[in-house]
Amino acid sequence: MSPRAQYRARRSHPITPRLRAPRSVAAAGALALTFSAVLATPLDPLPQQASAATGDKVLTVAVAQSVDSLSPFLATRLLSTSLQRLMYEYLTDYDPGDAHPVPGLATKWSASADKLTWTYTIRSDAKWSDGQRVTAEDAAWTFDKLMTDPAAATANGNFVTNFRKVTAPSPTELVITLKKPQATMTALDVPIVPEHIWKNVADFSKFNNDSGFPVVGDGPFVLTGYRADSYVRLRANKDFWRGAPRFDELVFRYYKDQDAAVAALRKGEVSFVAGAPALTPAQASSLQGLKDIHVNDAPGRRFYALAVNPGARAKNGQRFGDGDPSLLDARVRHALFMAVDRKTVVDKVFQGHAAEGQGYVPPRFTSYFWKPSARQELAYDPAAAARLLDQAGYRRNADGKRVGKDGRPLNYRVLCHATDPNDKAVGQYLREWWAKLGIGMTLDCLDNVTDPWLAGRFDLAFDGWSVNPDPDYVLSIDTCGALPATPKDTGPTDDFVCDRTYDGLYARQLAEYDPARRAALIRQMESRLYDLGYINVMAYPNAVEAYRTDQIKSIETMPRAAGNIYGQDGYWSWWSAVPADSTGSSHGGSTGIVAGVVAGVVVLAGAGVFLARRRRATADDRE
């Protein structure tokens, strides 16, 4: 999540990677969603009309990402995993103030002295939306399914690879036994599902959780309708244990043209605009000072990067794809990054609505934030970049082009998200900067970057992830264990990176319970990734979004002091939202949150990918 990964993000244990469906399955899913988009109108008016007829309070959110799956076992995109947060409770939640673990489905938890046995007390006041009680058996069944069914492990199998056994001695007691200590046991971002419903699913790789409504859940909202690439509708769960939402419906509506979404906000047709993944500086400026519109501009939880294809490979040793072999040389990678002016990216493209990039973890997560030393930094230095290329054997020919020993000039293909204006703008700067080095560049902007990315058919690509309060997942996607099993499979790998030194650090941080020592190991991992030069984090974009104050009276940000609304690590924003015409004060939840509520319709569009990884596919973190 959350976003991640996303993306909200997830995590993958280095020993046994998260399993993925073959590319053929993903392609078939993409075709199915594309076909359904042809049949459906992009903006289906029926949900709003029905709400108007009943007098329901509706919160409508304009987004720029489609759903990859409504199954919690398959969903990987930011929007999809955010929906799971609304539909199902997790064992623990993240406090919106400082992101520390707070009770979710579990009211308390404890570990044995050796940290190998974790016991969770499951709350007795939670009910499924069909009236049945939520029990520890539901949680045990969910985790066991992840452990035993490769198809069910598609999205969240990484959480359980270190699990030895999961049992439910009583309806309110869940016991998880580990193979070795694991520091993420209060950050298990796994939706707990009702066993009495899901035990009837025959094939988890094919079941998309959209064949019957309402969908039984125990979160603050109940899924009541869905049309692929058009909308997802949810209703307020009046029996939610933390308190009922205030809005009756919530609508996330897709606009491929972000200017049209902003115009819809001005006209009051939508309540909130999230952007793709954020409003552009010009759009934000156009909304500033307008009556009944509030612009939220806060430090985000994403990084914005340029990733290098290091030579796509599978765990079985087979290589595939067509990445340029020159990029296997660290000197070439470092030269490309030293020709990128991060300050210009922040000042000219984001116009100050971002911070300069360093490591994987954005500065809002202070414990894990890292930046290179002066000697280590790959700072903007075109002259030094040129010297590195000379040393690597890529000298200029008579035409000023950089060529290798084979006489072929360097010309890189850069994957770009067609709907992301930042990619296109930065791409033009890259073309100019690299041209001064004698390097050619082709900007390949596509609606669907997932297929060529997974196939390794690119040289460099714009990349980005949303980082969770516990950054384990975004760190795991660069382990050797995240590689696909074979070239025909897909894995949770971000960039086909495989470095044994990095893997050793990852294993150590996962087993380290001391917060300070674990944070130090994570910063070492970021340093190692930086030195490898496969991923150039250029910026940490702000969360720039806007909503109508004549429709939304109040809404929770995360962090509460200065944070984002859309794509949170939880359901706080939509659960807390209070309608503008609401009377009386909102009630407080157990974490001190303003307790409003939203239910909703999510209207979406774009080329969906059934088992797409949480890539930043035209929206948030590679989500």
Side-chain angles (χ1 to χ4, degrees), residues 463-497:
D463 191 12
W465 289 83
S466 289
V467 179
N468 287 348
D470 188 305
D472 178 80
Y473 178 74
V474 291
L475 300 171
S476 77
I477 57 181
D478 290 304
T479 61
C480 300
L483 296 174
T486 73
K488 294 182 179 180
D489 298 307
T490 59
T493 181
D494 177 36
D495 194 31
F496 304 104
V497 174

Side-chain angles (χ1 to χ4, degrees), residues 2 108 124 178 205 218 248 262 291 329 343 415 435 449 554 599:
S2 295
K108 59 182 179 179
S124 58
L178 304 173
S205 69
D218 64 340
D248 301 301
V262 173
K291 185 177 183 295
D329 191 323
K343 187 175 187 304
L415 270 181
V449 301
S554 64

